[in-house]
Amino acid sequence: MHIPTRWIKILKDIWSNRSRSLLVIFSIAIGVASVGMITNAGLMVQRDLYGSFAEGNPASLEIYISPFQQDLTSAVEAMREVEDVQARRVERASVLNGEGDWDDLTLIAFPDLTELEVNQLNLVEGRMSLGVREIALEKQSAEGLGLAVGDTFTVKMDDDRTYDLDVVGIVHDLYGMPYALLGEVTGYLNLDSLKWMGKPSYYNKLDVVVAENKFDQEHVLGVGNSIRDRVIEPSGHKVGSMGVPGLGSDPGKHWAEDQIDGFLLILQIMGVMAVLLSGGLVVNTVSATLVQQIKQIGIMRSIGAVRGQLIAMYFFNVLAYSVLGLAVALPLGLLGSWWLAEFAAGFVNFDLTTVNISWQVLTLQITLGLLMPLGVAIYPILSGTRMSVYDAIYQYGIGSEGSGWLDRVLMNVRNLAPPIVLSLRNTFRNKARLVFTLLTLTLAGAMFIAVFSTRASLTVQIENVARYVAFDAALGLPYGSRKQTVEREALRIPEISAAEGWAQSIGVIVREDGSESGELEIVGLPYDAATIDPLMIEGRWLEASDTSKIVVNDDLLDEESGIGIGSEIRLKIGNRERTYQIVGVTSKHLSGSRIYMEYGSFGQLTNRPNQVDTIRVRGNLETFGSNVEQDVIAFQLENRFENANLSKSSSITRHAIFGDFTDVFDLILVVLMVMAGLLALVGGLGLTGTLGINVLERTREIGVLRAVGASNVSVRQVIVIEGVVVGLISWVLGALLSGPSGRALAGAVINAVMQADLSYTYSFTGLLLWLVVVGFIAVFSSLAPARSAVRLTVREVLDYE
Amino acid sequence: MEIAKISDTNGRENGTLIKVKDLVKVYPTAANGVEALKGVNLEVHEGEFLAIFGKSGAGKSTLINMITGIDSPDSGEVQIGGVSIHSMGDDELTRWRGRNLGVVYQFFQLLPTLTLAENITLVMDFCDTYPLAKRSDRALQLLDQVGIREHAYKVPSKISGGQQQRVAIARALANDPDVIVADEPIGNLDSQTADDIYDLFSDLVSLGKTLVIVTHDREIAERASRILEISDGRIISGRSNDAPSNERSTGEAAPSPNLVPPRIRAAI
């Protein structure tokens, strides 16, 4: 096959500059693969999670009701506003795990698992047609407990009796919070099994799909109110709670959809930045190639090459980089999207059906991979081939002198060692290239620091939340108990120095026009409670005399417009209503809307004087116990309360709450760090490219330096110092940019994963760490160009005429 | 645009192939500029071997760059084959030069990543002369002509300076131009190699090519059929050698042009 020699030249040039070619190929690949990875993962999640979610007929509304029979379900189903309804019984119990401990268990009972109308389950293994004494486990729970079909499942009910059930099926439930996130086991059985386990065969929850406007929250809640007012309450039942399923999601949406979409958006922004940075590197590399080949360009023009031919040659060069970059990016992006989608699948419990790449993603990657490098290369190619033949052949290798104010300032710097002075002046000689390199490194640095600031902000956010969880252990009292009894019982445990009972209830605000707010939590607690350290953002905390005063959290102010400090609001719990004045607002703390009131006032409002629902204890009022100490206290609390017949619930420790919490964030931060690392890598490659061009451009100067006696060390020093100066400038600029970029990233991440507002903390650790990283990048990036400079012989570099 | 070959046109006046008229070139400097050429006039006849001799800084390289169109004059004109080359646009001049002039540089200026044969086919490729399938054969013929066919598939860094200059000459012949222009072509070579290269030039003249070389070496210049001496931007003397010397500097008899092997002549 005969190939025109000019194309052969380009291919051979690419091969002979392998390291530089690889640099730009990988740079294109990283940018394109990042975008492909994130977009494709997003599409796979959309297909497998949101698609499967929608197929299973998700509930628009969930209503917890006092025990009821099938006839209530039929009555609700008969309403024209309701499309589908499914009754279930949700029962709390414990399960024996492989280590001999009891884990929290949610048992969900249906008449028949194979005929679910709403929130349908998918069979993974075994069968869903269950008999008595048989159970199907949610797949993540089964994996977590190490159980499979055929194994025995030991359940302890709240009356302390234990039952052995046969595991006959593994099912996938897309609608519940997964085991990986909550650490709670979920099992499904039929009502007959529950009856066999001593429970009456009642239902206590309705999952409802509304007939119209399924995605309109207001409409859905309106239908809920109609169900309550027209069917549930007239039939003598009570609504415990009612709301849209999920974590503040809109109706019909997967409970984690907002979080996943938010997180993917953040990654997408970082992917676009990686593309921009790799574009910068393409510009640098193409410029380097053209600078290196200026003389060759002159020669080619002298032997008959017209400019159009040269332009075509160098575009072909970039096209070759693009095609090779794409060849790496496409499989890399697919692998990355597989990893990311698996990460999401494990996180929110869905199955990745197939790993494929959609034609949209393929088109996006190919377009980006081809057009971005060609687009950014237009300017350097056009300007690099514009030089006259004479200049190209006879003027190459002579660096130009700067004449701006900065150059004049630098000319007055004279008290430093000559190599340092030369490095400083060299740094600013080609300002356009310097700006380009600085832009790349600055963006990388700003993003790196921003990730650390996000981490710091999350930590502070968690610490703020921790102020509301200021106990070593807490134990739920499902049926309520006398305050004095439970506090006395707890204080009998020698390790416990403080114990306080809290009461909780669900209520609503009755607005002036008679309408009611959404449900909110009302907490009754001692005004001087030791197990809460509220962060007041306005007003004050509760005082002893606050019989009709309350403190609300900031979430409530977001939910209910027009209220604030000094406002009087009417609270309703059941049929009882009272008016209270708001005296303080606490920070948000992942609780949703919440009202705190003095314990005595709470008793009056609920008509449950002296009753508490939770006991919260501390071993030492000065400091929190270690993880082990907290576990010991929790164990003793459980035992003591079980023996005293006060509670059979499992206790929870402070470290367990925040351990799970931080694990989730650490995973997210790992993904962000990977992206920041990629950006730093591309930034470093950019600096290498720039210094490489600088060495090429100043080949003759380096020759002169060597001719006048500069040692290898001195020549190397000039290049490395130049790299370090660029690195330091980029660090300063990155530090300045990292303030707003960190705030934006941290805000986006916290909003995506916690659905909370930002409490921003700048990470000085990140700033210092980036100084170290950029220092390494600068030195490391300078080494190869410095080595090239040292390798040049005096004769070689002075052979220009 | 189709570029005509000089040999296909009737642009010669009385056998004059190159005509330089009142050529002036000033290089700008901080202090008003340096006048490198101060109204140079010269004529080169078809088949002539002209040496332009002068000391460093005399303006000889500037003059040759004006003749090749690599640099442009401030005033005056260069006509080659009746064509005023500096009146052409950049791309037109480039194409014209590729077809009609072979340029040889002091430092050979071969492209380092291409083989010797590819360095030659590249010229044909740019000018789209010779069919694609025949370019390699022609490149090998030309390498054979300059005596280094056996190195055809090596890259320039693998051969000596003298061999590189032979390749540069073969490259200059790639499109079979009528005029060869060489800028200090043997200034960077040892004396034995310089003699060999000089012989190659003589052979080309004997085959009808017009050759213009610049050199700072009087002894080299003396071997051309005509010598022009340039100093301070002006031609200060010119004379013809009645018997153009093919003598080596050692005084030995040079081979007669008739001794050029027929296979080489056929290739030119």
Side-chain angles (χ1 to χ4, degrees):
Chain A
M1 191 176 71
H2 298 283
I3 302 170
T5 315
R6 71 188 96 156
W7 309 131
I8 293 174
K9 171 182 163 26
I10 292 302
L11 295 176
K12 287 192 169 182
D13 284 350
I14 291 172
W15 181 248
S16 65
N17 285 297
R18 282 183 292 281
S19 41
R20 190 194 301 152
S21 301
L22 281 176
L23 200 108
V24 75
I25 288 164
F26 279 123
S27 168
I28 293 171
I30 289 169
V32 175
S34 310
V35 170
M37 168 178 101
I38 294 152
T39 315
N40 203 43
L43 287 175
M44 288 197 284
V45 169
Q46 213 158 29
R47 180 197 63 199
D48 288 341
L49 175 58
Y50 305 154
S52 312
F53 179 80
E55 277 171 18
N57 199 22
S60 336
L61 189 67
E62 56 184 14
I63 311 173
Y64 283 92
I65 308 168
S66 55
F68 62 92
Q69 298 279 13
Q70 182 62 33
D71 54 348
L72 183 79
T73 315
S74 307
V76 172
E77 197 159 23
M79 292 175 70
R80 63 180 173 75
E81 297 97 327
V82 173
E83 185 179 285
D84 280 313
V85 64
Q86 176 72 54
R88 63 169 75 189
R89 183 181 179 92
V90 181
E91 195 68 38
R92 312 285 300 172
S94 307
V95 57
L96 192 64
N97 66 24
E99 291 157 7
D101 296 327
W102 293 97
D103 284 348
D104 287 339
L105 166 70
T106 302
L107 285 173
I108 300 173
F110 298 102
D112 186 351
L113 257 69
T114 59
E115 290 182 2
L116 296 183
E117 299 284 340
V118 181
N119 292 355
Q120 293 158 352
L121 304 173
N122 297 316
L123 182 66
V124 177
E125 198 188 338
R127 56 186 163 85
M128 284 209 292
S129 171
L130 306 178
V132 180
R133 303 183 191 185
E134 290 180 340
I135 192 165
L137 292 179
E138 211 294 316
K139 64 168 191 151
Q140 272 203 357
S141 301
E143 282 164 18
L145 290 176
L147 292 175
V149 171
D151 289 341
T152 301
F153 186 80
T154 305
V155 178
K156 185 165 74 174
M157 301 303 284
D158 56 6
D159 59 3
D160 235 9
R161 291 189 181 173
T162 58
Y163 301 89
D164 285 344
L165 300 169
D166 295 331
V167 179
V168 297
I170 306 291
V171 295
H172 184 199
D173 184 357
L174 272 169
Y175 306 94
M177 297 285 272
Y179 176 81
L181 213 59
L182 288 188
E184 274 186 17
V185 178
T186 309
Y188 307 85
L189 33 71
N190 63 26
L191 284 172
D192 292 339
S193 293
L194 213 53
K195 202 172 170 184
W196 170 70
M197 292 158 77
K199 293 285 169 185
S201 54
Y202 290 122
Y203 301 103
N204 59 6
K205 188 187 174 201
L206 275 183
D207 292 312
V208 181
V209 180
V210 300
E212 292 169 351
N213 301 328
K214 288 178 186 169
F215 306 111
D216 179 345
Q217 181 148 359
E218 205 172 324
H219 173 75
V220 168
L221 289 174
V223 172
N225 287 338
S226 297
I227 295 172
R228 182 192 61 201
D229 297 341
R230 284 163 44 198
V231 179
I232 299 173
E233 288 186 351
S235 65
H237 295 93
K238 280 189 175 176
V239 171
S241 69
M242 179 169 68
V244 172
L247 305 170
S249 321
D250 288 334
K253 267 188 174 178
H254 184 269
W255 56 267
E257 188 168 336
D258 290 341
Q259 287 84 347
I260 290 174
D261 289 352
F263 189 53
L264 284 172
L265 179 68
I266 295 162
L267 292 180
Q268 224 140 17
I269 291 168
M270 294 179 90
V272 169
M273 282 185 63
V275 170
L276 289 178
L277 296 190
S278 63
L281 193 63
V282 172
V283 172
N284 266 350
T285 309
V286 171
S287 303
T289 306
L290 286 158
V291 165
Q292 189 185 28
Q293 299 204 349
I294 277 179
K295 201 163 192 174
Q296 292 190 33
I297 290 169
I299 299 300
M300 286 190 281
R301 296 203 69 193
S302 81
I303 60 171
V306 294
R307 190 161 167 240
Q309 290 173 321
L310 295 173
I311 290 171
M313 282 172 72
Y314 289 101
F315 271 120
F316 176 70
N317 190 344
V318 177
L319 189 69
Y321 286 148
S322 304
V323 171
L324 292 170
L326 267 177
V328 178
L330 294 180
L332 198 65
L334 184 62
L335 282 175
S337 66
W338 186 4
W339 171 74
L340 194 58
E342 281 285 7
F343 174 79
F347 203 60
V348 295
N349 188 24
F350 69 94
D351 288 325
L352 205 56
T353 51
T354 49
V355 178
N356 62 351
I357 189 159
S358 74
W359 64 267
Q360 294 106 308
V361 177
L362 208 58
T363 310
L364 175 71
Q365 284 184 288
I366 292 172
T367 310
L368 203 63
L370 293 181
L371 291 189
M372 182 277 289
L374 290 173
V376 297
I378 289 174
Y379 177 74
I381 289 178
L382 291 185
S383 58
T385 52
R386 189 176 287 135
M387 193 177 258
S388 75
V389 184
Y390 176 80
D391 285 342
I393 297 177
Y394 295 101
Q395 300 297 308
Y396 170 61
I398 304 169
S400 60
E401 280 175 33
S403 56
W405 65 269
L406 194 57
D407 303 291
R408 288 195 296 274
V409 169
L410 289 167
M411 287 307 288
N412 289 323
V413 176
R414 284 167 191 159
N415 295 328
L416 299 171
I420 295 173
V421 172
L422 194 60
S423 301
L424 280 176
R425 290 177 188 165
N426 281 347
T427 305
F428 296 96
R429 274 166 74 173
N430 191 323
K431 291 181 189 64
R433 193 177 303 142
L434 174 67
V435 166
F436 222 87
T437 314
L438 283 177
L439 205 66
T440 316
L441 273 178
T442 301
L443 279 177
M447 199 42 70
F448 187 91
I449 301 167
V451 171
F452 274 83
S453 292
T454 303
R455 190 177 192 284
S457 301
L458 278 169
T459 307
V460 168
Q461 198 92 12
I462 291 167
E463 280 169 4
N464 283 345
V465 172
R467 297 173 67 146
Y468 298 83
V469 191
F471 55 75
D472 284 318
L475 183 69
L477 308 164
Y479 305 108
S481 290
R482 245 184 109 247
K483 186 174 191 294
Q484 290 77 3
T485 307
V486 295
E487 288 179 353
R488 190 185 58 233
E489 201 63 37
L491 286 169
R492 281 184 177 152
I493 299 169
E495 284 83 0
I496 293 176
S497 63
E500 55 196 35
W502 285 24
Q504 281 134 315
S505 188
I506 300 293
V508 294
I509 295 172
V510 181
R511 301 184 187 112
E512 282 180 8
D513 61 2
S515 64
E516 292 179 2
S517 70
E519 288 179 340
L520 50 94
E521 192 182 2
I522 302 170
V523 177
L525 73 170
Y527 71 91
D528 56 351
T531 61
I532 185 170
D533 176 22
L535 178 65
M536 302 305 295
I537 56 174
E538 214 182 340
R540 62 167 176 82
W541 182 242
L542 297 168
E543 291 174 358
S545 57
D546 286 343
T547 51
S548 59
K549 296 195 166 54
I550 54 172
V551 168
V552 302
N553 68 0
D554 203 23
D555 299 80
L556 183 67
L557 299 193
D558 281 355
E559 288 290 319
E560 282 295 298
S561 56
I563 62 170
I565 295 284
S567 299
E568 293 206 328
I569 58 171
R570 194 152 185 80
L571 288 179
K572 180 182 171 189
I573 296 179
N575 297 321
R576 300 173 72 89
E577 292 183 27
R578 284 191 72 177
T579 301
Y580 296 88
Q581 189 187 27
I582 301 172
V583 293
V585 180
T586 71
S587 63
K588 293 178 179 177
H589 45 277
L590 305 179
S591 60
S593 298
R594 185 179 273 189
I595 293 175
Y596 294 97
M597 64 171 68
E598 206 282 320
Y599 176 71
S601 304
F602 181 87
Q604 287 172 359
L605 176 64
T606 56
N607 199 24
R608 288 175 61 218
N610 281 325
Q611 291 290 301
V612 290
D613 304 298
T614 314
I615 177 81
R616 296 158 63 112
V617 299
R618 287 191 67 161
N620 182 336
L621 281 173
E622 301 301 317
T623 57
F624 293 105
S626 65
N627 291 357
V628 175
E629 286 167 344
Q630 288 181 14
D631 287 340
V632 168
I633 288 174
F635 179 73
Q636 293 189 341
L637 197 63
E638 273 177 31
N639 275 352
R640 180 143 214 113
F641 274 62
E642 195 171 341
N643 293 338
N645 262 337
L646 288 169
S647 172
K648 293 188 172 65
S649 301
S650 302
S651 58
I652 184 138
T653 57
R654 177 186 164 86
H655 80 81
I657 293 174
F658 291 103
D660 288 351
F661 226 55
T662 44
D663 283 353
V664 171
F665 290 132
D666 283 348
L667 281 173
I668 289 164
L669 287 167
V670 163
V671 177
L672 291 177
M673 281 307 297
V674 167
M675 290 301 287
L678 289 179
L679 293 178
L681 178 68
V682 178
L685 295 179
L687 183 59
T688 309
T690 297
L691 293 172
I693 306 174
N694 290 353
V695 168
L696 280 173
E697 270 188 346
R698 297 175 205 144
T699 303
R700 199 160 81 181
E701 289 176 14
I702 291 165
V704 172
L705 275 180
R706 291 177 64 79
V708 298
S711 64
N712 285 355
V713 173
S714 301
V715 171
R716 202 174 268 141
Q717 209 177 10
V718 170
I719 310 293
V720 172
I721 290 174
E722 189 179 338
V724 171
V725 169
V726 174
L728 285 177
I729 296 171
S730 82
W731 179 75
V732 172
L733 295 174
L736 293 174
L737 191 64
S738 65
S741 68
R743 183 175 286 275
L745 182 68
V749 170
I750 287 172
N751 192 270
V753 298
M754 292 171 94
Q755 304 276 295
D757 286 346
L758 172 70
S759 164
Y760 180 60
T761 307
Y762 185 82
S763 170
F764 288 95
T765 311
L767 180 69
L768 291 177
L769 195 61
W770 178 245
L771 176 64
V772 175
V773 172
V774 86
F776 270 114
I777 288 176
V779 172
F780 193 73
S781 305
S782 325
L783 287 179
R787 199 174 59 230
S788 310
V790 167
R791 276 182 183 167
L792 295 168
T793 64
V794 178
R795 186 188 162 278
E796 267 172 356
V797 294
L798 295 180
D799 274 356
Y800 276 91
E801 288 180 318
Chain B
M1 192 180 80
E2 189 59 36
I3 299 292
K5 289 208 72 167
I6 298 171
S7 50
D8 299 336
T9 62
N10 296 315
R12 308 166 189 78
E13 274 178 40
N14 304 321
T16 304
L17 190 61
I18 301 172
K19 190 182 272 185
V20 175
K21 288 194 281 193
D22 302 326
L23 213 54
V24 174
K25 177 68 182 178
V26 180
Y27 289 113
T29 63
N32 292 332
V34 172
E35 216 174 349
L37 297 177
K38 300 171 178 171
V40 171
N41 290 285
L42 68 89
E43 288 182 353
V44 183
H45 299 286
E46 196 174 356
E48 191 176 19
F49 183 175
L50 173 69
I52 300 170
F53 160 75
K55 291 179 182 166
S56 181
K60 56 187 188 303
S61 286
T62 304
L63 177 58
I64 209 115
N65 285 337
M66 299 296 151
I67 292 171
T68 54
I70 282 174
D71 203 357
S72 55
D74 292 307
S75 65
E77 189 182 20
V78 176
Q79 283 185 5
I80 301 180
V83 177
S84 177
I85 64 166
H86 293 291
S87 66
M88 287 190 265
D90 195 36
D91 279 353
E92 191 186 354
L93 175 60
T94 299
R95 284 196 198 96
W96 180 90
R97 183 170 53 235
R99 295 292 297 270
N100 292 298
L101 284 187
V103 186
V104 180
Y105 296 94
Q106 181 179 2
F107 292 108
F108 334 125
Q109 309 291 17
L110 300 174
L111 302 190
T113 54
L114 296 181
T115 63
L116 308 185
E118 286 164 346
N119 263 283
I120 297 165
T121 55
L122 183 67
V123 185
M124 297 177 243
D125 184 26
F126 282 137
C127 299
D128 199 20
T129 47
Y130 302 95
L132 185 58
K134 299 206 168 156
R135 287 175 193 162
S136 286
D137 291 341
R138 175 162 174 79
L140 293 177
Q141 278 181 333
L142 290 167
L143 287 172
D144 197 16
Q145 180 184 340
V146 297
I148 52 166
R149 182 180 173 138
E150 68 273 22
H151 300 302
Y153 301 107
K154 289 181 180 168
V155 289
S157 59
K158 300 292 177 196
I159 57 174
S160 69
Q163 287 169 321
Q164 287 193 51
Q165 195 59 298
R166 285 168 185 267
V167 181
I169 293 167
R171 180 178 67 182
L173 295 170
N175 285 334
D176 191 21
D178 294 310
V179 182
I180 307 289
V181 180
D183 184 3
E184 298 276 13
I186 43 188
N188 200 36
L189 303 173
D190 63 76
S191 59
Q192 179 57 52
T193 312
D195 280 344
D196 293 343
I197 296 297
Y198 207 95
D199 290 344
L200 262 178
F201 282 136
S202 301
D203 294 344
L204 295 177
V205 174
S206 69
L207 292 168
K209 301 288 178 195
T210 303
L211 185 67
V212 180
I213 70 165
V214 298
T215 178
H216 63 277
D217 187 332
R218 183 180 289 278
E219 197 179 336
I220 298 287
E222 288 295 342
R223 295 167 67 176
S225 57
R226 187 155 66 100
I227 307 161
L228 293 177
E229 184 170 358
I230 187 168
S231 176
D232 194 21
R234 289 195 177 88
I235 304 286
I236 55 168
S237 68
R239 63 184 165 82
S240 294
N241 275 344
D242 290 338
S245 173
N246 276 324
E247 288 175 6
R248 294 168 188 269
S249 51
T250 53
E252 290 172 20
S256 149
N258 293 334
L259 295 179
V260 175
R263 62 186 169 86
I264 295 176
R265 263 180 282 170
I268 298 173

